[in-house]
Amino acid sequence: MSKPETRVRIAPSPTGDPHVGTAYQALYNYAFARTRGGKFILRIEDTDQARSSPESERAILSSLRWLGLEWDEGPDIGGPHGPYRQSERTAIYREHAARLLESGHAYRCYCTKEELEQMRIEQREKKLPALFDEVCRNRSLDESSRRAEAGDAYVIRMKVPRDGVCVIKDLLHGEIRKDWASIDDQIIIKSDGFPTYHLANVVDDHLMGITHVIRGEEWINSVPKHLKLYEDLGWEAPVFCHLPLLRNADKNKSKLSKRKNPTSIEYYRRAGFLPQALLNFLGMLGWSMPGDEEKFTLDQMLEHFRLEDINLGGPVFDVKKLRWLNGRYIREDHDAPALREELFKWALGPEMVEKIIPLAQPRLETLADWGFLTAFFFADAVPCQAEELKLKGHDAGEVAEVFQFAIWQLERQRDFRSEAIELLFKELAEALELKVRVLLGPFYVALSGKAASTPLYQSMEILGSDMVRMRLRRAIELLGGLSSKKLKALEKRYEDLFGGTR
RNA sequence: GGCCCCAUAGUCUAGCGGUCAGGACGUCGGCCUCUCACGCCGAAAUCCCGGGUUCAAUUCCCGGUGGGGUCACCA
């Protein structure tokens, strides 16, 4: 009997910028599949209706493709196990949830958020580990169905064993034991009818024939739930393998986060990093090429890659070393024509220059003025004096807060055309009770390094969302940064001013 | 805080019972040179701590400490 084909997947959630952590997981999944002659599948986990967006999905696909990680099946190219977008598979999940309901492995829960909150507080006081609602859990299916028909809102929860130990087998970690009592009756279908990650993930992995689940360590604690779901559905579970999480370069090496490090692949692209270099760099975090050479191509990596060789310590994403590696690619792998081509692809091409010309022209007295006027479009960090980041009547800390508001606004701004940005700043000015022209002052400095520059909104459009936010974040740091305490208060104020969740 | 995972220089790593603990980034010094960068040479810097096991532990086991993750109608 031949072994079944190896099938792995990367399953990003399109809720924001394409994250380097996603690329990291993708690389190792890809390498594992390729070294075993298997398939690498891309699946979009967009079951969070509120946060998912098509723009984010597009950005993720384009970023992964830019890196050279081609998938064999995915939402854009299809495949034999489609659709590959979870929002298009809701009927499948509902059907499986119904099966679990009927077999008694799941139940409808009619508790409100407030009731659960109250229950949680009491349980914490009593030092009970997990959250269970006995009433809902023990209600008969008949009665629960009657209430559902009467129109009562509910979610569906899985029934998790109350005692015993769950043994997780992990390819890298070996056996991990976890008490069932520490695991709660996870919601598998939300009140909007959409599944949560846990259900959708298990159903899809099974239906798509996934043999190995290679993903971030953050998932280890929920493996028991997944194992139970496989069992209840009568399926064989795939092999699990949890990889370390990328870390910030801060004191504690916390999980890589955009507050402390650029995390968007788009940022690295815009900042002039080459895809080969970024991929190579990710490949040397956690894994190392035999021998002394640290520069290697994807193909070279494939020749030596073994999943078992991955180092379990969470690696710090050290941009300094990435810069060094990138420099080697520029110097060693490009002759002048090739480098010219890279530069054109990056920002010196006609497309970019044509966008800048109308902004620059009114401000040019000589052609040579072009250089200093437009330099900031072709840069990563911009030289910027803290003293220049001034806002009339506000101190440095307050300017930093304004920048932070703008970052949050821009984060949820999917349409990054200048008109949309203009609207956004008008809103911001109004909320802060400032004149727009006054508000904009420090933004010119943060983004271009100078108080006088090309028009802000259009310049921002050209710089792109990721670069703009990065420069604003740098400006905040320059102003002394925002403490997490301050940030928390700020967040609250932001919600009061602009409403909604970020 | 409960539970889970992890632990070689500041950082990424090699090592898989006996090594002067190897390489790379970064740092410092020197050479090259019209400057800088590149390149080259060199230096400082590491096995978290404490118990075992063993003739011998960085390596195996246990405990501690430290760090991370997770405890959502987010993934």
Side-chain angles (χ1 to χ4, degrees):
Chain A
M1 221 181 84
S2 64
K3 271 200 291 184
E5 178 188 48
T6 297
R7 291 172 61 81
V8 299
R9 86 301 193 274
I10 177 86
S13 172
T15 52
D17 304 323
H19 200 280
V20 287
T22 304
Y24 181 68
Q25 300 297 336
L27 170 62
Y28 288 116
N29 270 278
Y30 177 92
F32 184 68
R34 288 286 171 271
T35 52
R36 302 179 133 228
K39 293 275 193 294
F40 172 58
I41 289 118
L42 174 66
R43 181 175 72 221
I44 295 295
E45 308 229 331
D46 56 347
T47 55
D48 185 339
Q49 286 291 281
R51 296 197 306 150
S52 296
S53 77
E55 290 84 0
S56 172
E57 179 186 317
R58 266 200 296 281
I60 290 169
L61 300 213
S62 105
S63 291
L64 291 176
R65 200 160 261 142
W66 174 70
L67 283 170
L69 297 169
E70 290 287 334
W71 46 96
D72 302 301
E73 299 167 26
D76 55 336
I77 56 173
H81 302 276
Y84 292 89
R85 201 176 278 116
Q86 290 185 329
S87 58
E88 294 166 16
R89 299 169 66 83
T90 51
I92 301 173
Y93 310 123
R94 262 190 283 255
E95 183 190 309
H96 286 87
R99 256 178 69 186
L100 291 168
L101 225 41
E102 272 153 37
S103 62
H105 292 301
Y107 60 92
R108 292 189 186 85
C109 177
Y110 292 90
C111 299
T112 64
K113 274 188 181 167
E114 291 71 30
E115 286 168 342
L116 290 171
E117 187 61 33
Q118 188 55 39
M119 213 180 300
R120 214 164 296 169
I121 292 167
E122 285 170 20
Q123 278 168 342
R124 187 161 293 206
E125 277 170 9
K126 290 182 200 158
K127 296 214 167 150
L128 289 168
L131 163 117
F132 293 112
D133 182 52
E134 291 298 331
V135 181
C136 288
R137 194 191 220 238
N138 297 328
R139 190 162 16 228
S140 76
L141 185 55
D142 280 353
E143 197 196 328
S144 141
S145 302
R146 269 197 301 279
R147 275 192 73 173
E149 274 160 39
D152 283 7
Y154 64 87
V155 300
I156 300 179
R157 290 180 183 275
M158 61 183 290
K159 265 188 202 168
V160 168
R162 291 304 173 70
D163 43 43
V165 177
C166 177
V167 180
I168 302 162
K169 286 197 193 110
D170 185 284
L171 204 57
L172 246 29
H173 295 265
E175 288 190 353
I176 300 166
R177 271 152 224 284
K178 208 150 165 44
D179 290 338
W180 279 114
S182 71
I183 293 156
D184 67 340
D185 281 4
Q186 179 64 51
I187 290 175
I188 55 176
I189 298 280
K190 300 180 258 186
S191 55
D192 65 0
F194 272 68
T196 56
Y197 171 84
H198 306 280
L199 209 225
N201 165 262
V202 164
V203 168
D204 285 347
D205 282 346
H206 177 260
L207 262 24
M208 293 181 180
I210 300 303
T211 56
H212 301 257
V213 170
I214 305 166
R215 86 246 271 198
E217 216 169 45
E218 56 203 314
W219 293 108
I220 284 187
N221 287 320
S222 46
V223 177
K225 293 171 186 174
H226 304 162
L227 249 20
K228 184 69 171 53
L229 250 15
Y230 280 105
E231 190 190 316
D232 293 347
L233 259 2
W235 297 336
E236 195 185 327
V239 176
F240 290 101
C241 177
H242 293 86
L243 264 30
L245 265 19
L246 262 23
R247 309 290 187 89
N248 288 314
D250 60 2
K251 180 98 171 43
N252 288 341
K253 302 189 188 179
S254 51
K255 172 163 107 171
L256 193 66
S257 64
K258 62 185 170 190
R259 268 210 55 222
K260 301 185 174 174
N261 231 325
T263 56
S264 168
I265 302 171
E266 290 299 308
Y267 162 77
Y268 290 96
R269 192 218 287 245
R270 188 63 180 79
F273 290 88
L274 301 173
Q276 316 89 285
L278 182 53
L279 206 57
N280 184 165
F281 179 66
L282 292 172
M284 58 197 246
L285 298 180
W287 184 81
S288 71
M289 193 71 159
D292 289 344
E293 185 52 272
E294 290 189 290
K295 180 169 167 249
F296 50 83
T297 64
L298 227 199
D299 285 342
Q300 287 167 332
M301 179 175 176
L302 260 28
E303 283 170 35
H304 300 273
F305 182 74
R306 288 174 43 206
L307 198 58
E308 311 85 86
D309 291 338
I310 289 178
N311 194 319
L312 291 179
V316 170
F317 192 96
D318 180 6
V319 182
K320 282 225 181 81
K321 190 154 183 177
L322 170 60
R323 290 181 68 91
W324 162 80
L325 227 208
N326 200 63
R328 282 192 64 185
Y329 275 88
I330 289 177
R331 273 175 257 125
E332 297 172 11
D333 293 3
H334 294 77
D335 56 14
L339 184 57
R340 188 195 55 189
E341 199 176 313
E342 290 289 1
L343 286 164
F344 269 54
K345 268 198 285 187
W346 168 64
L348 296 187
E351 203 182 311
M352 180 81 78
V353 173
E354 271 163 30
K355 276 193 222 162
I356 300 172
I357 284 174
L359 310 186
Q361 194 170 16
R363 297 166 177 81
L364 293 179
E365 287 175 336
T366 69
L367 298 177
D369 288 339
W370 171 272
F372 286 115
L373 181 64
T374 68
F376 73 99
F377 286 116
F378 308 97
D380 176 8
V382 114
C384 182
Q385 307 294 136
E387 312 84 67
E388 301 281 315
L389 293 163
K390 276 183 306 204
L391 192 52
K392 224 190 305 181
H394 297 270
D395 64 26
E398 287 167 332
V399 177
E401 292 181 11
V402 171
F403 283 151
Q404 187 58 60
F405 279 158
I407 289 172
W408 284 334
Q409 288 277 68
L410 292 165
E411 251 166 31
R412 63 179 190 187
Q413 183 60 45
R414 295 288 161 205
D415 176 1
F416 213 69
R417 280 172 302 184
S418 60
E419 296 82 3
I421 301 170
E422 176 171 6
L423 229 57
L424 183 154
F425 272 90
K426 284 195 167 138
E427 256 178 61
L428 188 61
E430 201 173 321
L432 297 173
E433 294 173 3
L434 284 169
K435 279 180 143 175
V436 175
R437 54 175 296 128
V438 174
L439 168 70
L440 260 29
F443 283 87
Y444 279 96
V445 178
L447 295 176
S448 74
K450 291 168 290 180
S453 181
T454 50
L456 194 72
Y457 311 134
Q458 283 144 299
S459 302
M460 286 172 85
E461 179 181 329
I462 293 169
L463 282 170
S465 178
D466 297 277
M467 184 56 78
V468 167
R469 282 177 287 147
M470 187 62 209
R471 288 195 187 162
L472 293 180
R473 238 171 258 129
R474 289 202 180 106
I476 290 174
E477 288 311 306
L478 200 63
L479 291 167
L482 290 165
S483 69
S484 51
K485 208 170 127 192
K486 213 162 193 179
L487 212 60
K488 215 162 188 185
L490 207 59
E491 202 161 343
K492 197 165 178 307
R493 218 181 117 211
Y494 179 84
E495 271 165 34
D496 291 345
L497 283 173
F498 302 99
T501 47
R502 290 171 15 231

